Amino acid sequence: MPAPTTNKDTLQRNRLLTRSGFFLLFLLAPVLNIFRYDLTETHFILFGFPLSFNLDLDWVSHSAPAEVAGQILVWFVLPITVLVPLVLWVAWKWGRIYCGWLCPHFSVVETINHLMTRITGRPTLWEALKKGRRGKFIHWTGLTLVCGLIGFSWALALLSYLLPPIPLYTDLITGNLAFYPSVFLAVASTVFTLDFLFARHLFCKYGCAFGVVQSIAWMTNGRGRLVTFDTARAAACRDCTRACDEACPMRLPTRSHKRAKFTCTQCLQCVSACREVQKDNPEGSLLHWEPGQPNRQTVLIPVHQLDTAPRKGRT
């Protein structure tokens, strides 16, 4: 029997801390020269130091092939052979945990989902239109402005990874931004704004190559961590209005089998929602984040099938 959960669920608070910290890192990394690529100098900058793999053209032209190959091996091949397996191993064990706990784009997805729910009662535009909930014009105007502001900040942040940030911000404030950076900001801001308004979680599902790679690695591990459903206590779902499914930012059937949750980001909002619904239940939540069992699949049980007691005939 799982331990009862307390009324104060700290799971999402911990996620908020990790997501906020990584979002700030995403915005400030170029400014602080933690990591960026300088197009003007044509090399990476890592922790304030130029990262050119020690392959100066003059040095290459006067060096033996073995020396050049050694530099490429040490500064390029070896880091990749360490980093790529590490990322795949993390995804193999925990799935898209980067997406759910760190990814700046997914943080925006959750934020706008929350705002959309307040406007229409549904987290996505398509669900709202299907339910006939259009919201008020003034609210949509505000949401569009928010998406536009976030889209512009994203475009500016990405541009600061390619151009020296301080001169970029100075030129932007003084109105002296060059033509090509201006075009980049305009196009990227428009694309991001449209994405955040209409297709944010769809991009996470189908457009993010890094997310798909994580999902594939996770699916190959039958013991990888996932959200499981306690089918033995499925009757406890009878009085719930699918709070777990409604809480999922990716709009997945949270009580279903692993294949149906291929794009799960391990944000565990479904678990938190179930904990809240079952907070007065001494047996606790029906959803748990735990290692999978290769020979066991959790199966979605429709609520209308839970009541197996015979119905009394009308008198």
Side-chain angles (χ1 to χ4, degrees):
M1 178 185 300
T5 57
T6 61
N7 291 342
K8 191 174 182 180
D9 182 17
T10 60
L11 183 61
Q12 296 307 317
R13 182 191 303 171
N14 294 337
R15 282 189 63 241
L16 178 62
L17 292 175
T18 60
R19 291 185 300 126
S20 300
F22 197 82
F23 198 90
L24 287 176
L25 178 63
F26 165 71
L27 295 177
L28 297 178
V31 179
L32 300 178
N33 275 336
I34 296 175
F35 177 78
R36 64 185 179 89
Y37 181 80
D38 195 327
L39 283 175
T40 61
E41 299 291 338
T42 64
H43 60 65
F44 288 96
I45 293 177
L46 183 64
F47 296 112
F49 296 98
L51 186 63
S52 59
F53 307 117
N54 286 350
L55 294 178
D56 182 81
L57 292 179
D58 292 334
W59 178 83
V60 170
S61 62
H62 294 89
S63 300
E67 292 180 303
V68 176
Q71 289 293 331
I72 295 175
L73 177 66
V74 171
W75 294 99
F76 186 72
V77 177
L78 287 181
I80 290 179
T81 56
V82 171
L83 184 60
V84 171
L86 177 62
V87 170
L88 291 177
W89 177 77
V90 170
W92 183 75
K93 285 185 66 70
W94 293 288
R96 289 195 183 192
I97 196 166
Y98 165 80
C99 300
W101 288 73
L102 296 176
C103 178
H105 183 274
F106 193 70
S107 296
V108 175
V109 170
E110 291 186 283
T111 300
I112 299 178
N113 278 5
H114 176 70
L115 295 175
M116 188 82 75
T117 301
R118 295 190 64 177
I119 292 175
T120 66
R122 306 300 301 171
T124 70
L125 174 64
W126 316 115
E127 292 179 57
L129 293 177
K130 187 176 180 180
K131 295 289 185 179
R133 301 175 180 177
R134 301 183 182 275
K136 296 181 179 179
F137 176 78
I138 188 172
H139 293 157
W140 279 107
T141 302
L143 180 62
T144 302
L145 290 175
V146 169
C147 291
L149 180 61
I150 297 176
F152 175 77
S153 66
W154 263 65
L156 184 60
L158 290 181
L159 189 57
S160 69
Y161 275 86
L162 302 175
L163 298 176
I166 302 303
L168 172 64
Y169 296 149
T170 302
D171 290 345
L172 181 64
I173 293 173
T174 59
N176 296 319
L177 196 62
F179 175 74
Y180 288 111
S182 300
V183 171
F184 178 90
L185 280 180
V187 174
S189 298
T190 301
V191 171
F192 283 132
T193 300
L194 294 175
D195 168 48
F196 295 150
L197 268 175
F198 303 114
R200 51 196 177 277
H201 76 285
L202 297 177
F203 172 81
C204 293
K205 274 187 173 183
Y206 308 114
C208 179
F210 183 53
V212 171
V213 169
Q214 292 178 85
S215 291
I216 293 174
W218 179 57
M219 292 298 293
T220 63
N221 181 15
R223 300 187 184 278
R225 275 194 172 265
L226 77 159
V227 175
T228 60
F229 176 56
D230 188 353
T231 55
R233 298 172 49 222
C237 289
R238 185 185 297 114
D239 299 325
C240 177
T241 56
R242 298 174 62 245
C244 52
D245 291 347
E246 294 297 327
C248 178
M250 298 292 279
R251 321 312 295 151
L252 301 175
T254 57
R255 293 169 291 169
S256 189
H257 52 77
K258 186 175 181 178
R259 290 189 301 275
K261 297 184 287 189
F262 175 80
T263 56
C264 174
T265 62
Q266 314 296 340
C267 70
L268 307 183
Q269 289 212 43
C270 56
V271 175
S272 294
C274 189
R275 287 179 178 179
E276 177 63 24
V277 171
Q278 302 293 334
K279 61 184 178 182
D280 296 325
N281 187 334
E283 294 184 286
S285 172
L286 283 80
L287 295 179
H288 306 281
W289 193 48
E290 58 188 7
Q293 300 179 24
N295 59 345
R296 177 177 176 267
Q297 292 282 2
T298 57
V299 180
L300 179 63
I301 301 180
V303 175
H304 65 79
Q305 294 183 7
L306 297 178
D307 189 3
T308 57
R311 297 180 180 272
K312 295 181 179 180
R314 293 183 179 180
T315 58

